[in-house]
């Protein structure tokens, strides 16, 4: 069926739902950013975009601080470090003109909400190629209510947010046989990240197995494999050694007995150890089943019955399962978005009538299924459960204004206090010159990341463009937050206990002067004398005990 969207019934309702979803998601993301719950990755991507806008493409001191050269060999973070050595993400340049017009971390949050909203709209039009309006609308609403969609999109800006948008655009182009658009989107998907080729491979595998467009499927599979091998073994090592010395070891270290390995070496190690490979594939079974259930839930478990869903999402699921640990099997993490398109498209194809028995039959020869009244009620219940789980899991603390960060011990910052603190922090950070270098605690990093040199505390020294070591001009730290959260979170406790002596030492040695302080939020400037009022406020904060009862 070729759909004329201009004549589509109830299109206004579809667009209204899309706009409402965009406003809600953007509102939650912006609230998260403005109340200082956006964190390190938001800062990394904002600095990358900021450097792109200033002609220093894909450079970032924040990414450099996470590089193998800094972590493993103790080198200084560099302002000219290219993040492409960690993740090959040229697709970000697509959004460069928008950021150039509105250079702010806020732009990234709005973009992320737009990625999700438009992806859902494209999904509706894909479904309408095979299904009637109400069922197509139900699938779109299920996408907007899926825990594996909402949780990753409510996080910091990340490159994988583009995947559902590009994949659904690709599938819609395929349905309309707009092959030049299909080809452009293949390239865009590959450019999202080096491992997005695995997602594209799933699309090619489906086109081959279903015999819908076998030659196109073979080309897509060949392109995906060739690109992955080329980019991980040739392109990325040009920029840094992170792919072989950090990511391959961190994610697939159980297969190799060395301190570094290429992707080809890891693949060979997997193939040559079938016993270990099988154990990793089925272990841990409870985590794997829970992860799949989280993906299937908003679609009333239909993807579990769909061969198209298994084939399209299978390569990505295989990669996540074989990764060391269970961090990949988490519907709150961005990697879940790589799985989502295959499962939702697979559900559409199942409703179109293509099950296991009829998988190789042409879709136009099949009779679409229609959900019964009881099944519609079951589907509604599944979707409600998914929607309820989203705020309860409090993804990336996006619902911290209503859900406590910890129940035992109790840790909760009320909404009025969140906004009151944000205003005082804004005033403090506004005094930092735009060209100055800064180191900051994690949740302040995004707000100071639009500059050439930014670090995360406690690091204060970096390499400038001439290769010379430089000490940052300013230190910004939020100790109120660390003290409030340390009772429940060990990482915050460690930072609170470590950073306070470091700050006092900087002040006492005269290396930095304390120029602003407001209830534990402090600003230090290198080579100046401390302000007496700020010093008094800081000492009062150190002497004060955290209230035993929540505010």
């Amino acid at each position: 069926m070729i759909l004329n969207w201009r004549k589509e019934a109830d299109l206004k309702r579809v667009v209204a739902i899309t706009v409402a979803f965009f406003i809600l998601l953007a509102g939650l993301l912006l609230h998260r950013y403005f109340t200082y719950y956006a964190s390190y990755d938001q800062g990394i991507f904002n600095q990358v975009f900021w450097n792109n806008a200033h002609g220093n493409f894909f450079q970032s001191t924040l990414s450099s601080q996470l590089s193998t050269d800094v972590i493993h060999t103790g080198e200084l973070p560099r302002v000219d470090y290219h993040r492409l050595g960690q993740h090959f993400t040229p697709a970000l340049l697509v959004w460069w003109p928008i950021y150039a017009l509105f250079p702010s971390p806020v732009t990234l949050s709005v973009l992320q909400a737009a990625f999700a909203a438009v992806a859902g709209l494209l999904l509706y039009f894909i479904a309408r190629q095979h299904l009637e309006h109400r069922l197509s609308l139900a699938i779109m609403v299920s996408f907007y209510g899926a825990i594996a969609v909402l949780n990753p999109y409510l996080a910091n800006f990340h490159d994988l947010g583009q995947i559902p948008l590009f994949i659904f655009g690709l599938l819609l182009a395929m349905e309309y046989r707009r092959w030049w658009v299909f080809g452009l989107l293949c390239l865009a998907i590959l450019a999202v990240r080096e491992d997005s080729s695995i997602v594209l491979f799933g699309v090619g595998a489906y086109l081959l197995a279903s015999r819908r467009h076998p030659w196109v499927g073979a080309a897509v599979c060949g392109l995906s494999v060739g690109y992955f091998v080329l980019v991980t073994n040739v392109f990325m090592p040009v920029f840094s050694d992170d792919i072989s010395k950090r990511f391959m070891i961190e994610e697939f270290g159980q297969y190799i007995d060395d301190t570094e390995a290429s992707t080809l070496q890891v693949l060979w190690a997997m193939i040559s150890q079938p016993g270990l490979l099988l154990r990793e594939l089925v272990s841990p079974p409870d985590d794997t089943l829970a992860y799949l259930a989280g993906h299937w839930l908003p679609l009333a478990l239909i993807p579990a019955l769909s061969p198209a869903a298994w084939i399209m999402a299978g390569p990505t699921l295989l990669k996540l399962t074989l990764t060391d640990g269970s961090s990949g099997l988490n519907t709150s993490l961005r990697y879940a978005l790589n799985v989502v398109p295959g499962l939702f498209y697979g559900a559409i194809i199942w409703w179109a009538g293509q099950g296991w028995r009829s998988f190789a039959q042409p879709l136009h020869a099949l009779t679409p299924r229609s959900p019964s009244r009881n099944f519609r009620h079951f589907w509604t219940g599944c979707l409600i459960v998914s929607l309820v789980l989203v705020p309860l899991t409090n993804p990336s603390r996006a619902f911290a204004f209503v859900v406590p960060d910890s129940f035992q011990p109790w840790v909760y910052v009320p909404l009025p206090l969140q906004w009151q603190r944000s205003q005082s922090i804004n005033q403090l950070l506004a005094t930092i010159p735009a060209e100055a270098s800064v180191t900051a605690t994690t949740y302040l990093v995004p707000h100071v990341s639009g500059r050439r040199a930014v670090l995360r505390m406690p690091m204060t020294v970096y390499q400038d463009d001439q290769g010379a070591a430089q000490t940052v001009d300013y230190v910004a730290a939020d100790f109120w937050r660390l003290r409030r959260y340390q009772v429940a979170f060990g990482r915050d406790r460690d930072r609170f206990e470590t950073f306070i002596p470091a700050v006092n030492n900087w002040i006492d040695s005269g290396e930095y002067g304390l120029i602003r302080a407001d209830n534990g939020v402090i600003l230090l400037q290198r080579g100046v004398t401390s302000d007496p009022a700020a010093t008094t406020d800081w000492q009062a904060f150190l002497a004060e005990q955290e209230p035993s009862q929540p505010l």
Side-chain angles (χ1 to χ4, degrees):
M1 175 176 66
I2 300 299
L3 176 68
N4 187 337
W5 64 269
R6 292 183 179 88
K7 298 180 180 179
E8 171 68 353
D10 293 326
L11 184 59
K12 289 184 179 179
R13 180 188 303 176
V14 173
V15 173
I17 293 172
T18 300
V19 171
F21 174 79
F22 168 75
I23 292 172
L24 176 62
L25 185 59
L28 288 169
L29 285 170
L30 292 176
H31 175 269
R32 180 174 177 269
Y33 171 77
F34 284 120
T35 54
Y36 288 84
Y37 281 90
S39 56
Y40 197 69
D41 280 1
Q42 186 88 3
I44 288 177
F45 281 100
N46 185 65
Q47 191 185 28
V48 167
F49 272 93
W50 186 90
N51 271 314
N52 286 351
H54 289 78
N56 302 308
F57 292 99
F58 296 99
Q59 295 180 7
S60 169
T61 52
L62 292 170
S63 285
S64 183
Q65 195 169 345
L66 298 178
S67 68
T68 186
D69 289 340
V70 174
I71 294 175
H72 297 138
T73 63
E75 295 183 13
L76 295 176
R78 308 193 323 264
V79 295
D80 61 352
Y81 174 84
H82 288 84
R83 188 177 181 272
L84 296 176
Q86 292 181 3
H87 294 297
F88 202 74
T89 57
L92 294 179
L93 292 175
V94 172
W95 318 109
W96 171 29
I98 298 175
Y99 185 89
L101 289 174
F102 308 100
S104 167
V106 170
T107 302
L108 302 187
S109 296
V110 174
L111 273 175
Q112 184 142 296
F115 294 162
V118 176
L121 185 61
L122 293 176
L123 178 65
Y124 169 81
F125 285 116
I126 294 171
R128 283 294 288 124
Q129 303 305 303
H130 308 284
L131 309 174
E132 53 91 16
H133 163 72
R134 290 181 62 187
L135 185 52
S136 301
L137 186 62
I139 290 173
M140 184 188 82
V141 172
S142 296
F143 176 82
Y144 288 150
I147 189 171
V149 172
L150 287 172
N151 283 11
Y153 276 121
L154 284 169
N156 299 314
F157 181 90
H158 52 84
D159 37 30
L160 296 182
Q162 303 165 96
I163 286 292
L165 176 67
F166 289 161
I167 290 287
F168 289 149
L170 177 88
L171 294 171
L172 188 60
M174 179 197 70
E175 298 289 354
Y176 280 100
R177 298 177 182 247
R178 302 292 192 266
W179 297 115
W180 67 273
V181 177
F182 183 93
L184 287 177
L185 286 170
C186 279
L187 298 178
I189 291 164
L190 293 175
V192 168
R193 233 172 78 140
E194 66 283 355
D195 53 359
S196 59
S197 57
I198 301 174
V199 186
L200 186 61
F201 182 89
V203 175
Y206 163 72
L207 295 179
L208 268 173
S210 65
R211 303 178 190 175
R212 291 187 66 183
H213 303 288
W215 289 108
V216 175
V220 168
C221 289
L223 175 65
S224 300
V225 173
Y227 180 84
F228 179 76
V229 172
L230 185 65
V231 78
T232 57
N233 291 276
V234 178
F235 294 165
M236 294 177 69
V238 170
F239 298 101
S240 73
D241 294 328
D242 287 284
I243 185 70
S244 60
K245 292 185 177 180
R246 184 187 162 203
F247 292 105
M248 288 297 102
I249 302 302
E250 291 178 358
E251 296 184 8
F252 304 103
Q254 71 272 35
Y255 301 102
I256 53 180
D257 186 19
D258 204 344
T259 57
E260 64 177 290
S262 68
T263 53
L264 290 175
Q265 289 172 324
V266 169
L267 288 172
W268 173 249
M270 289 179 176
I271 296 171
S272 60
Q273 301 175 84
L276 176 59
L277 187 68
L278 182 61
R279 286 199 302 272
E280 291 292 327
L281 187 62
V282 300
S283 176
D286 51 344
D287 287 349
T288 303
L289 289 174
Y291 181 72
L292 291 173
H295 275 287
W296 296 336
L297 182 65
L299 288 167
L301 312 183
I302 289 299
L305 307 176
S306 171
W310 282 105
I311 292 172
M312 287 186 67
T316 301
L317 285 170
L318 182 65
K319 186 257 185 182
L320 294 176
T321 304
L322 296 179
T323 300
D324 191 18
S326 58
S327 60
L329 298 177
N330 187 333
T331 52
S332 292
L333 297 181
R334 59 187 179 273
Y335 309 111
L337 292 179
N338 284 338
V339 182
V340 163
L343 298 184
F344 273 82
Y345 187 74
I348 291 172
I349 297 304
W350 188 88
W351 282 111
Q354 197 173 66
W356 288 105
R357 292 183 179 180
S358 58
F359 182 64
Q361 298 181 33
L363 282 175
H364 62 79
L366 300 174
T367 302
R369 298 179 173 93
S370 181
S372 66
R373 176 179 295 182
N374 287 338
F375 189 85
R376 289 198 299 269
H377 291 162
F378 173 68
W379 192 345
T380 300
C382 289
L383 185 56
I384 290 173
V385 171
S386 181
L387 285 169
V388 169
L389 286 175
V390 172
L392 287 181
T393 56
N394 195 13
S396 304
R397 292 174 171 167
F399 294 91
F401 58 96
V402 290
V403 179
D405 291 279
S406 173
F407 288 90
Q408 186 61 39
W410 180 268
V411 177
Y412 173 62
V413 181
L415 182 61
L417 182 56
Q418 289 183 16
W419 280 101
Q420 177 186 338
R421 277 181 27 83
S422 69
Q423 295 304 312
S424 62
I425 298 174
N426 289 341
Q427 294 173 7
L428 183 142
L429 296 182
T431 62
I432 303 175
E435 69 280 358
S437 54
V438 184
T439 189
T441 47
T442 298
Y443 293 92
L444 301 186
V445 163
H447 295 260
V448 297
S449 58
R451 62 190 71 237
R452 186 71 171 143
V454 190
L455 299 173
R456 176 164 59 177
M457 280 187 67
M459 190 164 281
T460 58
V461 184
Y462 65 96
Q463 274 188 24
D464 63 16
D465 284 292
Q466 288 71 44
Q470 299 288 348
T471 303
V472 296
D473 301 316
Y474 289 85
V475 177
D478 184 358
F479 284 101
W480 185 95
R481 181 192 183 97
L482 291 175
R483 187 171 68 181
R484 188 63 171 257
Y485 283 86
Q486 66 165 334
V487 296
F489 303 98
R491 181 176 296 181
D492 289 327
R493 180 168 57 252
D494 292 340
R495 289 173 176 170
F496 184 76
E497 295 173 352
T498 302
F499 290 177
I500 284 181
V503 167
N504 287 333
N505 182 61
W506 290 333
I507 296 172
D508 294 341
S509 67
E511 183 177 4
Y512 287 92
L514 182 63
I515 60 171
R516 294 287 298 270
D518 185 358
N519 191 25
V521 184
I522 64 172
L523 182 64
L524 285 72
Q525 184 177 354
R526 183 165 56 91
V528 302
T529 302
S530 294
D531 179 77
T535 301
T536 300
D537 187 286
W538 174 236
Q539 294 299 327
F541 173 80
L542 294 179
E544 181 183 282
Q545 296 296 318
E546 178 71 2
S548 58
Q549 297 296 325
L551 296 178

